[in-house]
Amino acid sequence: MDNYPTSWAPRRALVVSAWAVTALLLIGVVADALTGDRGGLVLFALATVAVGAFAAHSTLVRPRLAAGTEGLVARTLGGTHRLPWAQTRTRLRTTRRLGRDGVTLEVEHEDELYVFGWLDLGEDPRDVLDVLSTLRARG
């Protein structure tokens, strides 16, 4: 993917912070295990697994989306997916929940749908779509 001019991934500061929080939560797990606080142990263990899973996913699946004149490359836990422009459709989806608008970038390729939010891309999906539209026009 090095020959792709543009790529998006979660921000490094966010990933590093997630690993730091995972380490702190793990300390909480050990402390609760030593003191015998089973309720705290369960809560700290669940939080450690959740934040650790986010940190591991954000570390292993980088970059989440890359683009070039030939098309897109989307990375998931299932592997790397090459998506030529001719069979790919991109669009924004805005949803309103709890009084806030959430914007996601949807990439549709044949019968597959890839959905990227600002956490996945490290940028506003609207800005990413602008770049993708420019690259598509060049291709």
Side-chain angles (χ1 to χ4, degrees):
M1 276 185 270
D2 294 337
N3 57 352
Y4 280 81
T6 309
S7 63
W8 296 272
R11 293 185 178 165
R12 289 190 194 280
L14 181 65
V15 177
V16 170
S17 298
W19 281 116
V21 169
T22 301
L24 291 173
L25 288 169
L26 193 55
I27 291 169
V29 167
V30 171
D32 281 344
L34 293 175
T35 61
D37 180 13
R38 291 181 188 249
L41 176 64
V42 170
L43 291 175
F44 268 110
L46 289 173
T48 302
V49 169
V51 177
F54 170 77
H57 181 268
S58 297
T59 300
L60 296 173
V61 185
R62 277 186 97 76
R64 292 282 287 133
L65 184 66
T69 54
E70 297 84 32
L72 301 171
V73 175
R75 292 196 62 200
T76 65
L77 287 176
T80 301
H81 308 275
R82 300 200 182 287
L83 316 170
W85 287 123
Q87 295 102 14
T88 303
R89 184 175 154 203
T90 56
R91 67 176 176 256
L92 290 177
R93 170 87 48 171
T94 303
T95 55
R96 187 162 183 85
R97 290 194 182 111
L98 302 174
R100 292 189 49 141
D101 289 335
V103 179
T104 56
L105 173 68
E106 293 184 351
V107 178
E108 189 175 347
H109 177 75
E110 296 175 352
D111 61 343
E112 299 288 325
L113 178 66
Y114 304 91
V115 180
F116 302 100
W118 69 269
L119 276 176
D120 296 311
L121 301 171
E123 287 186 40
D124 189 333
R126 291 174 277 241
D127 298 335
V128 174
L129 184 62
D130 291 341
V131 174
L132 294 180
S133 298
T134 302
L135 289 171
R136 180 189 291 268
R138 288 185 198 165

